[in-house]
Amino acid sequence: MKKNKAPLFVLFLLSLGFLQSCTQEQTSESIGSEMVTSSGPPDLSGIWQAVNAASWNLEGHTASKMPVTRIMGALGGIPAGMSVVEGEEIPYLPEALARREENRANWNNLDPVAKCYIPGIPRSTYMPWPFQILQTDTEIFIAYEFGSNSRTIFMDRPGTEAPLPSWMGYSLGNWEDGTLVVNVTKQVPDTWLDASGNYHGPNLVVEERYTLLGENHIQYEATIDDPDVFSRPWKIKIPLYRRMENDARLLEYKCVEFGEDLLYDHLRKGYDGPKALDGSLR
Amino acid sequence: MRILTTWIVSFGLAFGSVGSLGDVPMTKWGKPGLQGNWDFRTVTPFQRPAAFADKEFLTSEEVDEFEAAVIAGREARAAADFDGEFDQQDLDVGYNQFYLDQGTRMTTTMRTSQLIYPENGRMPAMTERGRETAAYFRALQSRSPEGPEDRNLYDRCIIGFNAGPPMRSGAYNNIMKLVQTEDHVAIMVEMVNDHRIIPTGNSSADLPDDMRLWKGDSRGSWDGDTFVVTTKNFTHLSRFSGTGESMVLTEKFTRLDDQRLEYEWTVEDLEMFEDKFTAVVEMQLTEDDVYEYACHEANYAMPLMLSGARKQEANGEQDDTWLPSWSR
């Protein structure tokens, strides 16, 4: 019996297409050294944003109410999210965990970001606002939309130390097999890691790793080491997505004018609201 | 020093090896290199002093005399022997020479003012609308503040007093970082650490007219070897030297040599001023870092001002000293 070879040929073409698409996918999603071009390290330039609920809580959490739900309804709730912490939970020392719980209980009045203070690193990376990377040989400049904050990653200063502590810390970068590795030191202890009271002390050291996965994704990892607060170094892992719109650009989120309501409302003329919600600034 | 040496070597590798325009370092993509930290301190007056009425330039001897007089004036103030009779000026500016960092040199143009247009080196007259608006904000800032919004944007740490745009030498923090890629130029001024990310190719559309930003929306392009930035869409509160939301700012950055960057800017706002005005200075490449200036995070003045105002109200006190003496 003569076989009709047409279906087989079509199958063959489809298989080729499938294999080709697999190859493309594999190539575009290859990590690390495979993305290194002959002209130098991967180009991380562009506008990026995390798309998850890590800024609310790095650990896994269900949706919950906020104080503003009474005036904003469903717009004011905290969205649920899976843990981005390797091993699910942050390894606090016992006394430090108690401090975290105190922070959490008074979160909306104590969170430095609610006051529009600089979020620090790594929190700036997974805030729900985009940031833009400008990459040069000697320094990598990251501009964050939140608060119009920014920081410089020095690529040409190995072994140097920060002249003084700061909210964004001192960032030294180098390339390791196509991954941008950034050592961040000397952050003031006033920043938090998320909006759930997770915090650190003055001896925090963060090692960030930015690995380009294809054209439009970065795998972001940060190892957080602070022996005063945690029993061991721990790691978070978050994908970053390129903002793809044709007119994507950083706009302004000058949060001072919003933070002022929290910080100074009780000092306004004619203010008749609560004088103190929690014994802190109010 | 090690940092400095490394930086200079790296800068040279990145910008120095791909052709040149005289002493101007060039980028790999053939444009003059703008990247670096730039010091824009100068004692050249913004407006031409009356003593120089029709004199546009000074001689080198006159520059020396002027700079010496500025320094002598500062030293006299620093050495003033207070007798307990403090006046308002002492209270208004609680900084001594340790904190002030206004430079000691005039710009190398040897001009008598930073303003080069109008030709008399003075600000153009305000329109009636400009005068009315200025009076409104003056009254707002003269009164006992009812909330933070009554104070100026510098007190609130929303924009920096010398960060503009345009940038203009002020009391301190007169330094900016310029980061340059083929597609974008970032300008970050130490004062309040504000940044602008400026596309270099006019590739993206202008913002819609109803979208207003504190520091405007900047678009850049190259005109020969000059990087030209046009900024529009300012808020009605941004108010650079009394401008309003119609302000259009044109900035021109021209690398003069390996150490100097010419910075010329023109403001046009015919709603508030009867003419445009243009200034020019030269910025100097510096080995100093641009530090974090966490203004809002350490703004102890704002709650103290508001607390003081509420206390005065409770006591039934009137206070007309909320405008600093230097702006009365």
Side-chain angles (χ1 to χ4, degrees):
Chain A
M1 194 171 80
K2 186 177 179 182
K3 291 183 179 176
N4 185 350
K5 293 184 179 176
L8 280 177
F9 182 63
V10 171
L11 202 60
F12 174 67
L13 288 179
L14 286 173
S15 301
L16 271 183
F18 175 70
L19 286 172
Q20 190 179 20
S21 69
C22 284
T23 307
Q24 285 173 340
E25 184 68 9
Q26 200 169 28
T27 301
S28 64
E29 292 298 317
S30 296
I31 63 168
S33 58
E34 292 176 55
M35 292 302 298
V36 179
T37 65
S38 57
S39 58
D43 184 5
L44 304 179
S45 300
I47 300 178
W48 304 91
Q49 190 167 342
V51 184
N52 59 21
S55 71
W56 292 107
N57 190 343
L58 290 168
E59 296 178 318
H61 59 280
T62 53
S64 58
K65 282 190 175 186
M66 277 205 289
V68 294
T69 47
R70 64 183 175 182
I71 54 172
M72 293 181 63
L75 291 174
I78 294 177
M82 300 296 288
S83 178
V84 299
V85 179
E86 200 171 78
E88 304 295 328
E89 292 186 2
I90 300 171
Y92 276 98
L93 293 167
E95 289 182 4
L97 183 61
R99 160 90 182 274
R100 193 275 299 272
E101 295 307 313
E102 290 173 16
N103 289 344
R104 187 170 289 183
N106 293 317
W107 152 70
N108 59 306
N109 281 286
L110 298 180
D111 186 346
V113 164
K115 301 168 187 170
C116 179
Y117 293 170
I118 297 170
I121 303 299
R123 190 174 179 181
S124 294
T125 312
Y126 44 83
M127 298 273 286
W129 284 267
F131 60 89
Q132 185 162 359
I133 297 177
L134 274 73
Q135 181 174 328
T136 75
D137 295 340
T138 53
E139 57 187 72
I140 294 175
F141 184 76
I142 305 184
Y144 301 92
E145 185 168 292
F146 182 86
S148 294
N149 297 313
S150 63
R151 68 167 166 151
T152 297
I153 300 168
F154 298 105
M155 303 299 290
D156 57 353
R157 297 183 177 185
T160 59
E161 293 186 1
L164 72 173
S166 62
W167 290 75
M168 276 296 192
Y170 188 65
S171 294
L172 298 179
N174 66 283
W175 293 100
E176 285 183 13
D177 296 329
T179 292
L180 173 64
V181 181
V182 186
N183 180 257
V184 190
T185 55
K186 280 287 180 86
Q187 294 193 65
V188 295
D190 304 72
T191 63
W192 282 9
L193 303 173
D194 59 21
S196 292
N198 287 308
Y199 76 106
H200 63 86
N203 296 314
L204 172 72
V205 175
V206 180
E207 184 191 83
E208 301 176 281
R209 302 180 74 86
Y210 296 79
T211 306
L212 195 60
L213 306 175
E215 289 185 3
N216 301 317
H217 301 86
I218 290 176
Q219 183 64 267
Y220 177 75
E221 297 172 275
T223 300
I224 294 158
D225 189 6
D226 185 346
D228 300 333
V229 179
F230 310 114
S231 60
R232 57 175 170 78
W234 53 282
K235 190 159 88 173
I236 60 172
K237 195 171 182 180
I238 294 171
L240 303 173
Y241 301 86
R242 186 187 295 278
R243 291 287 295 262
M244 304 279 291
E245 327 71 297
N246 287 336
D247 58 352
R249 66 176 82 181
L250 281 199
L251 294 168
E252 281 180 345
Y253 190 79
K254 284 280 198 179
C255 53
V256 169
E257 56 179 330
F258 313 131
E260 284 175 342
D261 284 353
L262 177 69
L263 289 166
Y264 311 132
D265 248 9
H266 65 297
L267 295 173
R268 290 181 192 278
K269 184 177 184 180
Y271 177 77
D272 59 358
K275 287 295 181 189
L277 291 178
D278 64 351
S280 62
L281 276 171
R282 295 190 185 199
Chain B
M1 182 54 79
R2 181 180 170 190
I3 294 174
L4 164 62
T5 308
T6 309
W7 189 88
I8 289 173
V9 169
S10 303
F11 186 86
L13 287 174
F15 289 96
S17 59
V18 191
S20 63
L21 190 72
D23 292 332
V24 174
M26 303 294 282
T27 62
K28 295 169 185 172
W29 52 94
K31 296 296 182 187
L34 304 178
Q35 182 158 320
N37 293 345
W38 296 96
D39 179 346
F40 54 90
R41 290 177 297 178
T42 181
V43 297
T44 298
F46 180 64
Q47 296 192 75
R48 189 179 302 164
F52 299 135
D54 299 318
K55 193 177 176 71
E56 189 176 358
F57 295 96
L58 299 178
T59 65
S60 57
E61 290 76 18
E62 289 170 328
V63 167
D64 291 343
E65 288 172 16
F66 188 88
E67 291 172 347
V70 169
I71 293 168
R74 291 178 189 167
E75 288 174 348
R77 176 168 169 74
D81 186 16
F82 292 109
D83 57 4
E85 295 297 321
F86 301 108
D87 62 20
Q88 187 61 39
Q89 192 172 348
D90 299 321
L91 298 173
D92 288 341
V93 185
Y95 299 102
N96 59 23
Q97 292 304 319
F98 177 82
Y99 292 97
L100 298 175
D101 188 17
Q102 299 159 298
T104 58
R105 308 295 302 273
M106 300 189 83
T107 64
T108 54
T109 60
M110 299 198 293
R111 290 181 182 276
T112 51
S113 63
Q114 297 173 43
L115 273 183
I116 59 171
Y117 184 87
E119 285 92 349
N120 65 0
R122 306 290 299 177
M123 284 286 282
M126 277 186 151
T127 61
E128 184 177 348
R129 167 83 173 140
R131 291 193 298 274
E132 287 174 357
T133 309
Y136 169 80
F137 282 101
R138 191 177 177 82
L140 200 64
Q141 290 164 26
S142 299
R143 74 182 186 187
S144 180
E146 296 184 358
E149 295 82 2
D150 279 6
R151 301 305 304 166
N152 61 58
L153 299 183
Y154 320 132
D155 285 352
R156 297 171 69 190
C157 298
I158 289 180
I159 59 177
F161 57 70
N162 62 353
M167 292 73 75
R168 189 170 68 182
S169 181
Y172 50 87
N173 289 356
N174 298 303
I175 183 174
M176 70 173 198
K177 173 185 287 294
L178 220 152
V179 182
Q180 182 181 14
T181 69
E182 188 167 4
D183 302 326
H184 293 87
V185 168
I187 298 175
M188 194 272 280
V189 183
E190 184 169 277
M191 196 72 225
V192 194
N193 292 145
D194 213 345
H195 59 68
R196 282 188 286 161
I197 309 294
I198 306 164
T200 59
N202 275 335
S203 54
S204 49
D206 288 348
L207 274 188
D209 188 60
D210 61 348
M211 290 181 69
R212 298 283 164 168
L213 307 178
W214 291 105
K215 55 187 181 299
D217 183 47
S218 296
R219 292 279 168 274
S221 61
W222 286 92
D223 179 10
D225 291 320
T226 296
F227 184 54
V228 182
V229 181
T230 303
T231 306
K232 300 183 290 188
N233 293 63
F234 289 94
T235 75
H236 71 289
L237 296 173
S238 300
R239 296 188 56 71
F240 173 77
S241 289
T243 56
E245 59 188 350
S246 299
M247 166 175 159
V248 176
L249 169 67
T250 305
E251 298 162 285
K252 296 180 179 178
F253 298 84
T254 307
R255 188 78 185 254
L256 298 176
D257 52 38
D258 63 340
Q259 291 297 310
R260 294 183 303 157
L261 179 68
E262 182 181 88
Y263 177 54
E264 179 185 310
W265 54 263
T266 297
V267 164
E268 186 162 340
D269 181 358
L270 298 181
E271 185 184 7
M272 299 296 184
F273 287 93
E274 292 181 355
D275 201 353
K276 64 182 181 181
F277 49 101
T278 300
V280 64
V281 294
E282 289 122 15
M283 299 184 178
Q284 302 288 324
L285 189 66
T286 176
E287 297 137 8
D288 290 339
D289 273 338
V290 177
Y291 289 105
E292 182 179 276
Y293 188 77
C295 177
H296 170 63
E297 289 75 4
N299 192 355
Y300 304 111
M302 182 61 78
L304 290 173
M305 282 191 286
L306 296 175
S307 299
R310 301 293 80 79
K311 183 72 173 174
Q312 287 178 329
E313 283 167 11
N315 294 342
E317 298 173 15
Q318 299 291 319
D319 185 355
D320 63 353
T321 62
W322 285 92
L323 262 189
S325 57
W326 41 264
S327 68
R328 287 177 195 169

